[in-house]
Amino acid sequence: MHRRIFRNVATLLALLPSLLAVPADACTRLVYLGANDDVITARSMDWKNDVATNLWIFPRGMQRNGQAGPNSITWTSKYGSVIATGYEVSTTDGMNEAGLMANVLWLVESEYPAYDGRGPGLSIAAWAQYALDNYGSVKEAVDALRREPFTLVTDKVPGEDRLATLHLSLSDASGDSAIIEYIGGRQVIHHGRQYQVMTNSPVFDQQLALNAYWKQIGGTVMLPGTNRASDRFARASFYVNAIPKSEDPVKALASVFSVIRNASVPFGINTPEEPNISSTRWRTVADHKRKLYFFESALTPNTFWVDLKGVDFSKETGKVLRLDLGPDQRNVFAGNAVKDFKPAEPFVFLGL
């Protein structure tokens, strides 16, 4: 017992510099692997200001441009999707009709390759949408992205004097998962069902090492309770595997909602000495098997959803539709909100 405690303390001390040396930017993503092949992905959006999020429905056959200058990559969407925007200039979250989920979260350590404008470029604002438009599974996406068909190009966050530094997570109806980061200008991909949780700093390799320490202790003994990214990672990792694997999809969904709420930052929390710790603005939960995309705002009493099985994603008759969530996502919706979406011109991705 004493040796085990010593090893645990030594592990934590070795990792402590990595934990404390970086700001604790927010957001959490987790994947639940349940009974009867149920797969549910949840994420929180934690940000210091209103991120001006609305929901959009995109049909197949949309002509896209990477918004990275004259040599931007172009494509035609193969899959329709339901997505959540950031500032109405980027796709931050969403699920396509094949059941592929994409989420972008903040990672301050991100460093992207230099872009000389010669090869195909893709704005970071369209990174998640590119995956949703083109791929039906995580494996298909990873196989294609490993070949690096574009150079990812970042720009400043709207209204701020700092570059957007993000990493991308993918999950699908089979339970497969991938985390894609750019570290030191090079693409790093973690691919496999075991990569169920992603938060923010430090980089994913170090997050895994920190979480290994808490696994040695055991979540029923003690779990870290702060709103730091590494602590949220440990809590989400423990609880997403500790909750019962219910055969009732409604109970499974309730369990997943409880885990992502547990990893959320209470609304109004402000840490002046660490300004990157921010309140949870909203949460999404995607039921891959039933093709349901749930949205929950911190400032409204209702959780509502979009049933992708009832959406016309066809190239011939499908329309671009928008659900106006209002300032701070205060507009209230209930049940299946597909009927509340209105036709709209697609937003333009932020780019060069």
Side-chain angles (χ1 to χ4, degrees):
M1 175 65 72
H2 288 95
R3 289 182 180 178
R4 182 183 175 190
I5 294 173
F6 179 80
R7 286 197 304 269
N8 289 346
V9 172
T11 300
L12 182 60
L13 289 174
L15 293 168
L16 200 55
S18 297
L19 177 62
L20 297 178
V22 294
D25 298 275
C27 292
T28 303
R29 168 268 200 187
L30 56 90
V31 181
Y32 165 83
L33 305 174
N36 300 322
D37 298 321
D38 280 347
V39 179
I40 302 173
T41 298
R43 73 86 51 88
S44 63
M45 168 58 80
D46 305 350
W47 203 248
K48 60 185 178 180
N49 302 312
D50 179 14
V51 72
T53 296
N54 292 299
L55 299 189
W56 290 74
I57 290 174
F58 292 136
R60 300 173 218 122
M62 293 188 67
Q63 302 298 312
R64 302 287 201 184
N65 182 293
Q67 299 297 327
N71 288 325
S72 296
I73 191 170
T74 60
W75 70 94
T76 302
S77 61
K78 299 192 322 190
Y79 298 97
S81 58
V82 175
I83 67 97
T85 59
Y87 297 105
E88 290 291 82
V89 296
S90 67
T91 294
T92 63
D93 190 86
M95 182 166 68
N96 71 17
E97 60 182 314
L100 180 71
M101 184 77 171
N103 326 89
V104 290
L105 280 68
W106 195 263
L107 180 65
V108 71
E109 293 89 350
S110 299
E111 184 179 346
Y112 307 103
Y115 182 56
D116 59 10
R118 295 179 182 177
L122 176 70
S123 165
I124 197 169
W127 193 13
Q129 193 63 54
Y130 181 88
L132 294 173
D133 284 353
N134 286 289
Y135 309 120
S137 70
V138 172
K139 184 181 185 304
E140 182 186 3
V142 168
D143 288 347
L145 295 176
R146 283 194 193 280
R147 297 192 290 269
E148 301 193 59
F150 54 78
T151 299
L152 198 63
V153 182
T154 190
D155 202 352
K156 290 183 178 179
V157 177
E160 300 189 35
D161 191 25
R162 61 171 176 166
L163 292 176
T165 50
L166 307 171
H167 52 173
L168 173 69
S169 68
L170 301 172
S171 52
D172 65 23
S174 75
D176 199 5
S177 186
I179 311 297
I180 304 170
E181 300 178 337
Y182 282 85
I183 308 301
R186 298 178 64 86
Q187 180 180 249
V188 178
I189 299 178
H190 302 267
H191 178 207
R193 286 171 62 92
Q194 69 271 33
Y195 300 122
Q196 292 172 258
V197 177
M198 181 174 87
T199 55
N200 315 105
S201 297
V203 298
F204 195 67
D205 280 333
Q206 294 179 32
Q207 288 279 22
L208 293 175
L210 287 163
N211 193 53
Y213 162 77
W214 289 109
K215 281 186 176 180
Q216 292 178 61
I217 293 177
T220 57
V221 176
M222 180 174 61
L223 279 173
T226 80
N227 48 15
R228 286 181 174 274
S230 297
D231 289 3
R232 287 183 282 108
F233 190 106
R235 293 201 305 278
S237 294
F238 172 73
Y239 284 120
V240 77
N241 290 298
I243 54 178
K245 309 301 183 187
S246 176
E247 295 187 2
D248 182 341
V250 174
K251 290 183 178 179
L253 194 68
S255 293
V256 174
F257 261 109
S258 67
V259 175
I260 195 62
R261 288 167 181 154
N262 179 279
S264 297
V265 180
F267 195 82
I269 287 289
N270 180 33
T271 309
E273 66 273 18
E274 295 183 81
N276 291 307
I277 291 182
S278 305
S279 301
T280 295
R281 298 276 165 176
W282 48 260
R283 288 170 284 266
T284 61
V285 175
D287 186 324
H288 295 261
K289 187 174 181 179
R290 295 192 292 162
K291 302 289 180 63
L292 300 174
Y293 182 75
F294 293 82
F295 188 91
E296 179 180 68
S297 170
L299 294 179
T300 60
N302 285 9
T303 298
F304 65 91
W305 63 89
V306 177
D307 186 344
L308 275 71
K309 300 186 299 296
V311 175
D312 181 3
F313 288 116
S314 70
K315 177 181 178 180
E316 293 75 21
T317 58
K319 295 180 175 63
V320 176
L321 302 172
R322 177 178 181 265
L323 185 65
D324 182 5
L325 299 182
D328 291 308
Q329 298 75 60
R330 285 175 178 263
N331 291 348
V332 177
F333 301 95
N336 184 4
V338 171
K339 64 185 182 305
D340 299 308
F341 282 73
K342 307 299 181 186
E345 289 297 316
F347 65 88
V348 178
F349 291 102
L350 180 68
L352 302 180

